[in-house]
Amino acid sequence: MQTRLKLQNKIAENRWLLLWGALWAALVWFLAGLVTHQEMWLPFVCTIIATYFMVELNNTNALIRIYSRMVSTAFLLLVTMMVFNFGNLHSFLIILCSALFYFEAYQTYQNRMAQGRLYFAFLAVSVASFFWVQALYFVPVLWYIVTAKLQSMSFRVFVASLLALITPYWFYVAYCIYFKDLHTFLNHFTPLEQFGELADISSWTHSQLITVSYLAVVSFIGIVHYLRNRQADRIRTQMLYESFIIIDLLSWAFLILQPQHIHLLMGIIIVNTSPLIAHFIALTHTIWTNIVSQLLMLSLFATTIYNLWMLS
């Protein structure tokens, strides 16, 4: 009974947690200028839809062994922390596509006939690459995850994923050919061979630096915690969390090497970090983890308020 007296566990198991998180997020978006800045409307809608997918992702796969809305709430609060990104539609489309990929792909565990769901999963990746072509760099790793972690790769699944990746570009190239502007289509892939200065963060603002630093701490805590305590979960859950960790680490490596993509990579990091830190907050019960959890929550609200203040 003592473990339930910990504040972190009371918060994680609160049935109204997601509602309180949604009210906080709505307040931040409102104060950031949602009503007066039309460019924020579509990112706001993307956030709502992506949060729904994170709720369903947790419900469908039982990412947390107890009843908890911590996964979706952590996701919503971390996304809301990026106040400086609220007007960047591409960033929120990447977030939405990432959440959709996991929602579809994770339902195919050990199902080699799930080409339909994996088609839509990789279609989300292709749509993301339509707005940020570097998303295609993740495709080989996603194929590895489908093969080694989800164990659902087959010849049909592989072909379905290729068709999904091609689908948006099939329509785009047809459009360019019709208007005799094939050069525009080819230029879309040019950034794949363009690289900026390695680890050059001189263009980052103070808000971005503080937010990335916070995300780095949260990711580190979530990853270390899960690697130390994964044996308590089912094999399937372990495989899913290991997938989160792989993409999370890959995204961090990408961000360190090419910091100019911070606006887009932060969203991918948040999608993968949210379940990890949610697992830590919901399923640890010691005095030290309680203190760390409270510090993380206070730091998150403080960072969000600071970013909001800097925006204003």
Side-chain angles (χ1 to χ4, degrees):
M1 294 296 294
Q2 291 183 348
T3 57
R4 293 189 176 274
L5 297 179
K6 299 290 189 299
L7 179 60
Q8 69 177 100
N9 305 120
K10 289 183 178 181
I11 293 174
E13 297 177 32
N14 191 306
R15 292 182 175 273
W16 301 100
L17 179 62
L18 182 57
L19 175 60
W20 290 114
L23 291 174
W24 167 257
L27 176 63
V28 173
W29 279 85
F30 177 79
L31 294 176
L34 176 63
V35 176
T36 57
H37 294 76
Q38 294 185 0
E39 67 273 12
M40 291 186 181
W41 294 357
L42 286 178
F44 181 68
V45 173
C46 287
T47 301
I48 295 174
I49 300 173
T51 303
Y52 167 76
F53 282 129
M54 294 301 289
V55 171
E56 292 300 319
L57 179 67
N58 180 45
N59 292 344
T60 305
N61 299 283
L63 296 177
I64 306 293
R65 297 191 301 273
I66 61 175
Y67 176 88
S68 177
R69 295 295 187 189
M70 201 66 227
V71 172
S72 51
T73 304
F75 166 79
L76 182 58
L77 294 180
L78 288 174
V79 169
T80 303
M81 183 175 61
M82 300 191 304
V83 180
F84 47 82
N85 252 14
F86 281 3
N88 190 330
L89 177 58
H90 288 185
S91 175
F92 285 85
L93 287 172
I94 299 300
I95 291 173
L96 176 57
C97 290
S98 299
L100 178 57
F101 172 84
Y102 285 124
F103 172 71
E104 293 288 349
Y106 277 15
Q107 297 186 61
T108 69
Y109 181 74
Q110 290 187 338
N111 182 2
R112 297 179 181 272
M113 300 298 292
Q115 55 266 23
R117 284 201 172 276
L118 284 168
Y119 172 86
F120 286 108
F122 280 92
L123 182 62
V125 177
S126 184
V127 171
S129 73
F130 200 76
F131 299 99
W132 182 52
V133 70
Q134 285 85 352
L136 294 174
Y137 287 138
F138 289 87
V139 171
V141 181
L142 296 177
W143 276 332
Y144 167 77
I145 287 174
V146 171
T147 303
K149 301 303 179 182
L150 301 182
Q151 302 173 27
S152 54
M153 179 60 79
S154 65
F155 178 74
R156 288 185 177 183
V157 166
F158 180 71
V159 172
S161 67
L162 286 178
L163 290 175
L165 293 171
I166 294 172
T167 299
Y169 292 104
W170 179 266
F171 292 102
Y172 185 42
V173 73
Y175 171 85
C176 291
I177 291 175
Y178 179 79
F179 286 98
K180 299 179 180 180
D181 190 19
L182 191 58
H183 188 65
T184 300
F185 173 79
L186 297 176
N187 283 343
H188 176 75
F189 299 96
T190 302
L192 289 174
E193 60 181 13
Q194 296 175 346
F195 300 94
E197 293 293 331
L198 298 181
D200 180 14
I201 63 173
S202 59
S203 62
W204 288 8
T205 64
H206 288 145
S207 291
Q208 291 172 335
L209 185 59
I210 292 173
T211 303
V212 168
S213 299
Y214 177 83
L215 286 176
V217 172
V218 171
S219 294
F220 177 79
I221 292 174
I223 291 172
V224 171
H225 155 74
Y226 193 80
L227 292 178
R228 293 183 60 187
N229 298 275
R230 58 185 172 181
Q231 66 278 2
D233 283 328
R234 297 177 302 163
I235 296 297
R236 171 178 175 169
T237 306
Q238 292 182 35
M239 293 295 186
L240 302 186
Y241 270 97
E242 287 172 10
S243 302
F244 286 132
I245 291 173
I246 290 171
I247 299 299
D248 205 15
L249 293 175
L250 178 62
S251 300
W252 278 112
F254 197 163
L255 181 60
I256 292 171
L257 295 174
Q258 296 292 286
Q260 71 271 20
H261 298 297
I262 179 174
H263 290 285
L264 301 153
L265 284 168
M266 272 197 302
I268 299 176
I269 289 172
I270 287 174
V271 172
N272 290 276
T273 298
S274 300
L276 294 167
I277 197 60
H279 194 283
F280 169 79
I281 295 175
L283 297 175
T284 55
H285 309 281
T286 69
I287 294 176
W288 289 110
T289 59
N290 187 47
I291 294 173
V292 170
S293 297
Q294 293 182 50
L295 288 175
L296 289 178
M297 295 175 193
L298 290 174
S299 299
L300 184 145
F301 290 121
T303 303
T304 304
I305 293 171
Y306 174 78
N307 291 340
L308 188 60
W309 175 70
M310 291 297 292
L311 181 68
S312 63

